[in-house]
Structure formats: structure tokens, C-alpha cells
Amino acid sequence: MTSIESKRVQYRKYLERAGVIDALSKALIKLYEEQNKPEDAIRFVRKFMCESCPDDAQYDIMKNDLEEAKTHIAKLEQELERLRGQIKKSPEEYQELTIAGYKSLMDDEENVSSLLRKYLSPELLEEYMLVTTPAPVDAYLYDCAVSGFEHHEAPLGIYAADADSYDVFNKLFDPIIKDFHNQMDNENDVLQKDADFGNVDEIENLDPERKYIMSARVRLARNIEGLPFFPKLTEKQFIEVEEKVRAATETMDGELIGSYLTMSDIDAETQAEMVKRHILFARGDEQLTTAGCYRFWPTGRGVYHNPAETFFIWVNRSDHVRIMSMALCGDLGDVYNRLVNGLAELEKTLTFARHPRYGNLTACPTNLGTTLRASVHIRLPLLSKDPDRLFALAEELQLQIRGTDGEAAHIEDGVMDISNKRRLGFTEFELVKTLQDGVVALINAEEELEIAGQEG
Ligand code: ADP
Ligand code: MG
């Protein structure tokens, strides 16, 4: 006998001796004899074999207990978060954490591309380490950089903890902003032009025949003047933001009329379903988590929207306010028009943080300036078969290509998210016009490929 065969024989003997073969045979015979064969045969066998298995009623009780325990844990975690938030770190602790975080970032030889790593010199670290933004926020450099200290792969690695962070730590933020927004050669005192939404009528339906574009969306980010940004919002201030925005939506008119839903009133299933339809946000982003974005979740979070689901305000997603307008077609003009009206309505009662050099202030420096991202979800099957050409074209047209499930996703089935790449240095109108012109050019390129395909 080969050694494998002898092992097999040994194993069979063992199974017989232990009664496994017998038990399995009995289960299979029982199933064979069963008049109404059960849909779930495995469950049947499992039940037959397992004397101490819970019956359905016991199972339901256990499931219930588990759900309750989960809810309880979530509450305790929230409580823990709240208590943690009350512990004030001493300047010495801040100093220690900053030095340790900086060291781990600089010692990492694999992830070297973050702008925080590029621009936070040892001299700047020394200068800023114990400086804070004005009371009562008292944000340290650490509060802005903690996420980049931990996530070395982050492209930027820094968030502003409050509006003052941009000035107090300016020698760090300014080069990061200029670098990210391609403004390295810009020596002007003002990087962002005045707001100008232009002539809305010049923005049009980019796909009246509904051949290519599945949806269009334009979003803006805003933060309420006088309140810190998410890294330093207190629990009370999360609620204060929500209250202020809710009050501001009460005067909405016409197609903007809708209702406000606070996150804790939306059950988990509905939340997941809304996120899937791109109309609600979820927690989870790791860089934002480390930066403190999800503290006290779901407190103060929520969404305002009209019944047609074409106008949305996300509250405390990261910035205090994300305003967005959508349509399930290519009518960018309609979308833009609604967005401009919605913003104007909010601005009647809310004052948003603005900077003389950087325009509208956001926690993440990538969104500064106009904060505007106009996008279409579009299917270009032929062009997307030639990614080199597609990405070269997009680059030339100042467009960014993403997958359709948020920032990091990949292109599936020729469907992608195309938007203006730039946020800062141009007017709102210029950026929306960039998208319009660029998408028209891409559709033309797709149509040329279609014709070439028919001819060839
Ligand atoms: P932003 O930073 O502009 O909010 P994200 O890429 O993080 O963009 O996307 C947020 C959500 O909005 C995602 O669910 C995304 O699929 C959705 N979204 C973005 N653009 C469109 C669009 N043109 N049509 C439909 N949904 C969109
Ligand atoms: Mg985003």
C-alpha cells in the first residue's frame, strides 16, 4: 500500500470508530425518506445531526439578543467617544504626539508622496508645534495633520481644523494648496476669483437624446462662519450646524421645497439604499475617521431633499454643508440653475466662511475656491476601450475621471464619472462651462468611433 492509501484507510477506520459515518448515513436516510423534500437540505441535515441546536424560536430570541447587544455597544462607543472628547490634551502631550507622528511619516520610505511630507520641514514643525488657533477652538497643527501622520498614502495628509488654521499655519497650508491646485507660479495675493455663477442659460442639456449621460450633478461645499470645521466641532456644535441648516431650509420655494431628515431617524436599511442611489452619505473613510470626522455619529448628520430627489443638502458629511443638484439625464443647465437658486436661498440666512486668498473655505484643501464639482455619469463604451486616449483627452480638457461609486472606484462597463478637475482659480461658471465643453467633445469623439465602426 502506498502511504497515501494507508492514510486513507486509517482515516476511514477512524471515522467509523467515532460514529461519524453512521451519523451521516442516518441523516441522509432520513432525508431520503422525507416525503416533502425541504428546500434547504443542509439545514435539514444540520438539524437532524445536532441534538442541542436551537429551534427556530430559540434562534429568534438569540438573534434579537444579538441585535440588542449591538445597539448597546454602539451606544457605549458613542458615550466613550463623548468622554474622550472631553479629555483635553496638555501641550506636552500634543508635542509628543506631533513628534511621533512626524517621525513615522518621515521614516516611511515607501509612501513618500503626501504633500504634508513634502512641505512640513523640521523647521516648520518646530515653529508650529505648540502654536494654536484662537480660543475657544485652540486647534494645534496636530489636529490638522493627524490623519496624514497616520495615513502616509494620503495625497495631501492635512485638513484645516478651523478657518483660522489656514492663516495660523499658513507657511504649511499655502504651498500645499498651491501645489495641489497647480498654482505654483501664481504670485498674486488672491488665488481665487470672486464668485461668479455667470449666465445660467448658457449651460445646456448635453444629451437631449439620452444616449450617453445617465445623470448630472453639481455640488458645492460650505462651512458656517464662526464655527470650527469637523475636526474640532463639539457635539453641541454638530447639532448647532444641523439646527441652523434646518432653519435655513424652511424658506425654500418651488421645486426646492422638501424636508429634512436627521440621520438617526433613517433606519439602517434605508440609509444603505439611499447611499447606493448616491443621495446619502455614509461614514467609513479612514482618513476622515482619523481626522475626527465621525465623532458623535449620527448626531447632527442628515439630509434635506425635495420629493423629486433633484436637490439635496447633506449636513455634516465632512464640511458643514454639501449642496447638490442632480438629474437623471444630461440636463446640466437645469441642474446648475437649481443649484444656484438653492445656494442663494441658504445664503439669505447663513453666512459661510470665505477667505480673501482662497475663496470658500473647506476642511479639505482640495475643495477650496469654488468648492464646485460638476459631474456626469456617462457611458462611452468605445472611447473607454482605449484608456490611454480617453485619459489624454480628459487631461487636455481639464477633466477628471472617476468610477461612479465615489472617489476611488474604478470604471465599470464603460460607465464613468467625469467632472471638472479644477476647483480653485476659476469662477464657478468657468468650471461648469469646462465640463460642458469637455463632455460635448468626448461625446463627439465617441460618435466618431461609432461612425468609423459602422464604416469599417
Ligand atoms: P463628491 O466629492 O463630489 O461628493 P464623490 O465622488 O465623493 O463626489 O461622490 C459622492 C456621491 O455622489 C457618490 O455616491 C457618487 O456616485 C455620486 N455622484 C457623483 N456624481 C454623480 C452624478 N453625475 N450622477 C449621479 N451620482 C453622482
Ligand atoms: Mg467626495
Side-chain angles (χ1 to χ4, degrees):
M1 245 192 295
T2 67
S3 81
I4 290 184
E5 273 171 27
S6 88
K7 274 191 184 146
R8 207 178 274 152
V9 170
Q10 270 174 27
Y11 186 53
R12 198 171 50 230
K13 280 191 181 148
Y14 157 75
L15 291 176
E16 274 166 10
R17 198 168 56 239
V20 176
I21 303 281
D22 189 47
L24 279 175
S25 309
K26 279 190 182 141
L28 293 178
I29 291 167
K30 182 83 183 157
L31 182 58
Y32 174 76
E33 287 169 347
E34 193 65 35
Q35 292 291 330
N36 303 316
K37 293 275 180 288
E39 188 73 15
D40 189 346
I42 293 186
R43 188 187 166 86
F44 178 91
V45 171
R46 202 188 294 134
K47 246 183 121 179
F48 180 82
M49 294 195 54
C50 168
E51 278 162 10
S52 57
C53 278
D55 60 27
D56 285 356
Q58 284 167 319
Y59 175 79
D60 283 344
I61 292 173
M62 284 161 69
K63 205 172 141 192
N64 239 339
D65 286 352
L66 182 65
E67 280 311 311
E68 270 171 28
K70 274 189 186 157
T71 314
H72 191 59
I73 290 171
K75 273 208 190 106
L76 291 175
E77 275 175 348
Q78 222 176 322
E79 185 60 28
L80 184 66
E81 234 168 49
R82 181 174 301 131
L83 293 172
R84 272 212 188 109
Q86 286 169 8
I87 304 172
K88 274 213 145 193
K89 288 195 257 310
S90 68
E92 292 72 34
E93 283 171 297
Y94 266 111
Q95 185 166 11
E96 252 175 58
L97 287 167
T98 309
I99 291 170
Y102 185 62
K103 184 168 184 317
S104 100
L105 177 64
M106 300 313 282
D107 285 352
D108 186 343
E109 281 165 17
E110 263 169 52
N111 298 293
V112 295
S113 58
S114 85
L115 295 181
L116 178 68
R117 196 180 194 276
K118 185 167 173 186
Y119 291 109
L120 184 53
S121 65
E123 295 74 33
L124 268 189
L125 185 80
E126 188 64 35
E127 179 180 341
Y128 283 153
M129 196 155 38
L130 289 173
V131 173
T132 62
T133 64
V137 181
D138 297 315
Y140 282 80
L141 175 68
Y142 182 77
D143 293 313
C144 303
V146 57
S147 186
F149 285 157
E150 187 157 316
H151 304 284
H152 304 168
E153 73 290 355
L156 268 71
I158 196 161
Y159 297 97
D162 61 357
D164 291 308
S165 298
Y166 283 112
D167 295 321
V168 173
F169 308 116
N170 191 259
K171 283 186 261 176
L172 175 59
F173 272 105
D174 201 62
I176 289 179
I177 293 163
K178 284 174 90 176
D179 191 322
F180 179 83
H181 290 281
N182 274 320
Q183 303 277 333
M184 282 324 251
D185 301 327
N186 193 340
E187 293 302 325
N188 298 333
D189 290 339
V190 175
L191 294 183
Q192 176 58 41
K193 297 184 185 177
D194 286 343
D196 180 6
F197 287 87
N199 179 5
V200 173
D201 294 339
E202 285 176 43
I203 306 298
E204 294 165 359
N205 189 338
L206 310 183
D207 183 25
E209 288 170 42
R210 295 171 175 260
K211 264 185 81 182
Y212 303 100
I213 299 180
M214 288 118 113
S215 53
R217 172 181 182 260
V218 187
R219 63 90 159 153
L220 300 168
R222 290 289 185 275
N223 288 280
I224 297 171
E225 194 179 76
L227 286 166
F229 300 162
F230 71 76
K232 292 297 268 185
L233 276 181
T234 64
E235 186 176 18
K236 269 203 185 125
Q237 287 169 326
F238 272 107
I239 298 169
E240 187 181 339
V241 169
E242 182 178 46
E243 291 297 314
K244 287 198 155 124
V245 179
R246 191 207 296 260
T249 58
E250 270 162 19
T251 55
M252 291 281 174
D253 227 353
E255 64 171 345
L256 301 176
I257 294 175
S259 49
Y260 180 78
L261 292 166
T262 192
M263 193 68 86
S264 57
D265 284 349
I266 312 175
D267 66 69
E269 214 172 300
T270 311
Q271 281 185 33
E273 180 267 332
M274 289 173 79
V275 170
K276 211 168 156 201
R277 288 198 296 125
H278 313 299
I279 63 173
L280 186 62
F281 54 101
R283 64 192 293 188
D285 182 290
E286 286 183 10
Q287 291 165 29
L288 288 173
T289 303
T290 309
C293 187
Y294 306 119
R295 290 172 304 124
F296 315 118
W297 182 279
T299 301
R301 277 70 169 195
V303 56
Y304 173 90
H305 71 83
N306 60 356
E309 298 189 339
T310 56
F311 178 70
F312 297 86
I313 302 168
W314 286 352
V315 178
N316 285 319
R317 180 241 199 196
S318 49
D319 292 305
H320 299 163
V321 181
R322 284 287 175 105
I323 312 161
M324 64 212 82
S325 170
M326 285 172 75
L328 294 176
C329 63
D331 198 345
L332 188 63
D334 171 56
V335 168
Y336 185 50
N337 182 39
R338 188 162 46 245
L339 182 82
V340 173
N341 292 337
L343 175 68
E345 202 53 49
L346 284 185
E347 282 180 332
K348 282 184 188 165
T349 44
L350 297 174
T351 308
F352 295 119
R354 212 181 146 87
H355 193 279
R357 179 166 167 79
Y358 305 126
N360 296 292
L361 288 184
T362 51
C364 182
T366 62
N367 284 322
L368 288 173
T370 58
T371 76
L372 183 143
R373 194 170 86 89
S375 64
V376 292
H377 281 184
I378 185 169
R379 172 177 273 125
L380 300 170
L382 300 179
L383 252 187
S384 59
K385 275 191 196 136
D386 185 356
D388 289 345
R389 167 146 188 247
L390 174 65
F391 280 89
L393 262 176
E395 185 69 29
E396 207 177 288
L397 297 165
Q398 298 288 350
L399 299 178
Q400 183 188 54
I401 301 183
R402 303 179 176 188
T404 52
D405 269 322
E407 236 155 288
H410 55 286
I411 303 170
E412 254 174 75
D413 208 13
V415 182
M416 59 207 132
D417 176 316
I418 296 188
S419 63
N420 56 296
K421 197 169 79 182
R422 306 170 302 195
R423 312 262 184 277
L424 179 133
F426 302 84
T427 68
E428 288 77 359
F429 181 77
E430 283 167 337
L431 295 183
V432 177
K433 190 77 168 49
T434 305
L435 180 73
Q436 166 156 299
D437 296 345
V439 168
V440 168
L442 289 176
I443 290 179
N444 284 342
E446 179 76 13
E447 281 172 341
E448 275 167 26
L449 289 173
E450 283 168 16
I451 292 167
Q454 284 155 11
E455 284 170 352

